[in-house]
Amino acid sequence: MLGSIEEAVKATGLKDGMTISFHHSFREGDEIIGQVLTAIRNLGIKHLRFAPSAVVNIKNPSIVDFIKDGTIDRIEASGIRGELGDAVLEGLMEKPVILRTHGSRPRAIEAGELMIDVAFIGASAADEYGNATGQIGPNACGSLGYSFVDAQNAAKVVVITDYLVEYPCCPASISQQYVDYVVKVDRIGDPDKIGKGAARMTKNPRDLMIAERAADVMAASRLFKENFSFQTGAGAISIACTVYLAERMEQRGVKASFALGGMTAGIVEIDNAVYSNPFTKGSMLDKLNFGVLAALEVDTDFNVNILTGSSGEMMGGLGGGPDVAAGSDISIVCLPVVRGRTPSITKRVFTCCTPGETVACVVTEAGIALNPKHKYYPELKEDLEQAGLKLVTIEYLQQLAESLTGVPAPIETTDRVVCIVEYRDGTVIDVIRAIRK
């Protein structure tokens, strides 16, 4: 037990140029990262590699401030958005940001590509030996599954909590055997903001229609039977889909064998390496029948963009979407035909995050487009036609979108690469270049 975060940073031996990590289970409510980076800055430590499971959009202080003063000079994460995303696309950092899927991150850590010197793990409850959980306490955040790989592989591990319990902490998500130091602070996060941002429930009638249609696709499939398995991602439409799916399961008397999820409140995450690392002895995603995913753009080859918006701005993170699409039998991408005045179905996505051959179908308010190159295409087409669901081509959706919005002007970029988009197996699937102002 140590008295402050600053004491813990000193005790770990953190030095210039090292790598630090965090988990993102508090999402928009995270208050750990700002406290830790402030303590590091006060100690004069510079040029760190910032490697969280995902970058949350924290403010006061902003992560941008720590880049500008030299505390951070490299970032490796699932995604970046908000002020930090804008700054990166404007060329704030000298070195490109490396973006990894939830499956590629544990792969990189376990393979030794991403060596973590100090992992700072926020826990809603812990004891003085470091047994920790996110499931109890006044600021509970749910599972700490994203940080298991950090706890098991980092050179030093610091658990930070605002709720110290008597030994032993139960249930213990992280065992004391992986923890070096424990620090109690006044507050670690705001659980009311965990469901904000990406992980929010939609009330938009159009989005609810799309969500219900995705549930209809699953219910029509021959794979929708006793002991089926599914995942719905953290996007607003995907979360709403779970509600409609529950109704259809109840109507048909069907129970699932297991569910995975991007929703911290709705479905609890598991050990991220077991969940999605394609190089483990068996990723749980490989046992999924259905995966429901969100997207910013899909093109006529069914490639998916979940990172960049219509003007090239950073809007999201890779998350587990590419992993789920590759692992599940039937991957369902949900999105509206247009957003605002820009098409969501395009001839070519601005950033390729998920390769089209792993996408089974695209669900919109204007119809369902099946991918004729997907392995389950013949069976799924037969099932959906028999259920009377409206099938259209992806080309029809693209032309419809363009007829509503017109042809958007191409996004102009410089030659400078600011982000490297890594696929789940470690290969580079795309790059993002700085936006020309």
Side-chain angles (χ1 to χ4, degrees):
M1 283 292 300
L2 295 175
S4 68
I5 292 175
E6 206 162 297
E7 280 184 50
V9 172
K10 289 178 183 177
T12 62
L14 186 69
K15 293 182 174 59
D16 289 5
M18 286 187 169
T19 299
I20 57 174
S21 74
F22 303 84
H23 68 76
H24 71 285
S25 292
F26 283 102
R27 297 188 183 269
E28 303 293 307
D30 186 279
E31 294 178 10
I32 291 283
I33 295 173
Q35 293 181 65
V36 171
L37 290 177
T38 299
I40 289 171
R41 177 168 59 191
N42 291 342
L43 291 169
I45 300 170
K46 301 278 190 178
H47 310 304
L48 296 178
R49 175 165 58 171
F50 179 60
S53 52
V55 175
V56 291
N57 191 20
I58 64 168
K59 301 173 182 176
N60 302 319
S62 165
I63 294 172
V64 172
D65 298 335
F66 297 101
I67 297 170
K68 289 180 177 177
D69 68 20
T71 305
I72 296 169
D73 69 1
R74 291 161 291 161
I75 295 178
E76 299 186 18
S78 167
I80 52 176
R81 54 170 68 86
E83 182 186 5
L84 177 60
D86 293 340
V88 167
L89 290 178
E90 290 169 6
L92 172 68
M93 305 189 70
E94 290 185 16
K95 300 169 185 174
V97 172
I98 297 177
L99 300 177
R100 293 189 175 97
T101 71
H102 283 334
S104 187
R105 182 176 186 268
R107 179 207 60 76
I109 292 171
E110 293 178 344
E113 291 175 21
L114 176 56
M115 304 283 284
I116 297 170
D117 294 295
V118 185
F120 295 93
I121 298 175
S124 62
D127 60 38
E128 74 272 17
Y129 265 51
N131 296 297
T133 182
Q135 298 180 45
I136 61 173
N139 293 316
C141 65
S143 168
L144 300 182
Y146 284 116
S147 62
F148 289 175
V149 69
D150 301 65
Q152 294 164 10
N153 291 276
K156 296 289 182 182
V157 174
V158 180
V159 164
I160 302 173
T161 188
D162 56 7
Y163 186 61
L164 204 62
V165 298
E166 290 186 10
Y167 183 92
C169 175
C170 289
S173 297
I174 292 176
S175 168
Q176 63 187 47
Q177 66 179 309
Y178 298 118
V179 180
D180 296 287
Y181 305 104
V182 180
V183 178
K184 184 180 183 299
V185 296
D186 292 336
R187 186 162 121 143
I188 57 171
D190 181 355
D192 291 337
K193 294 183 179 179
I194 293 173
K196 304 295 183 185
R200 70 191 188 282
M201 174 68 91
T202 182
K203 296 180 180 178
N204 183 310
R206 178 195 64 184
D207 291 351
L208 291 173
M209 177 193 295
I210 296 169
E212 186 167 17
R213 188 164 284 170
D216 288 336
V217 169
M218 287 186 276
S221 167
R222 65 192 68 183
L223 297 179
F224 184 75
K225 57 187 178 181
E226 189 70 12
N227 294 324
F228 80 101
S229 56
F230 73 96
Q231 167 163 347
T232 51
I237 295 175
S238 301
I239 293 175
C241 179
T242 309
V243 176
Y244 294 113
L245 181 63
E247 293 174 358
R248 281 144 186 78
M249 291 168 67
E250 190 172 13
Q251 290 165 3
R252 299 262 285 272
V254 171
K255 292 182 180 179
S257 58
F258 72 91
L260 302 174
M263 309 84 75
T264 308
I267 296 177
V268 175
E269 290 106 341
I270 58 171
D271 181 332
N272 202 30
V274 177
Y275 160 61
S276 56
N277 181 354
F279 291 97
T280 59
K281 293 174 181 175
S283 165
M284 289 197 75
L285 287 180
D286 294 331
K287 300 294 288 181
L288 273 182
N289 294 129
F290 302 101
V292 181
L293 304 166
L296 294 169
E297 286 182 319
V298 176
D299 66 25
T300 51
D301 290 321
F302 289 86
N303 298 307
V304 178
N305 173 16
I306 44 184
L307 284 174
T308 44
S310 58
S311 59
E313 73 274 28
M314 199 73 73
M315 297 288 289
L318 288 172
D323 304 298
V324 174
S328 58
D329 294 326
I330 295 175
S331 53
I332 304 167
V333 175
C334 299
L335 77 171
V337 172
V338 299
R339 285 189 176 94
R341 292 175 292 175
T342 57
S344 302
I345 315 294
T346 65
K347 291 181 180 177
R348 182 182 176 88
V349 291
F350 182 70
T351 306
C352 182
C353 306
T354 301
E357 62 264 25
T358 64
V359 175
C361 74
V362 170
V363 177
T364 72
E365 74 276 27
I368 301 162
L370 300 183
N371 183 357
K373 295 181 180 178
H374 193 270
K375 58 186 176 182
Y376 274 92
Y377 172 74
E379 296 96 327
L380 189 58
K381 183 173 185 289
E382 182 179 317
D383 292 343
L384 298 193
E385 285 179 341
Q386 190 170 346
L389 296 180
K390 181 183 178 182
L391 299 183
V392 296
T393 65
I394 194 72
E395 290 79 11
Y396 165 80
L397 293 176
Q398 185 271 320
Q399 291 163 11
L400 173 63
E402 210 167 84
S403 71
L404 295 170
T405 65
V407 180
I411 301 168
E412 293 189 23
T413 63
T414 69
D415 291 333
R416 183 182 173 191
V417 173
V418 293
C419 291
I420 296 170
V421 184
E422 189 176 282
Y423 191 52
R424 63 195 309 249
D425 60 0
T427 57
V428 175
I429 192 170
D430 208 343
V431 297
I432 302 173
R433 291 178 168 83
I435 303 300
R436 189 184 301 280
K437 294 295 182 181

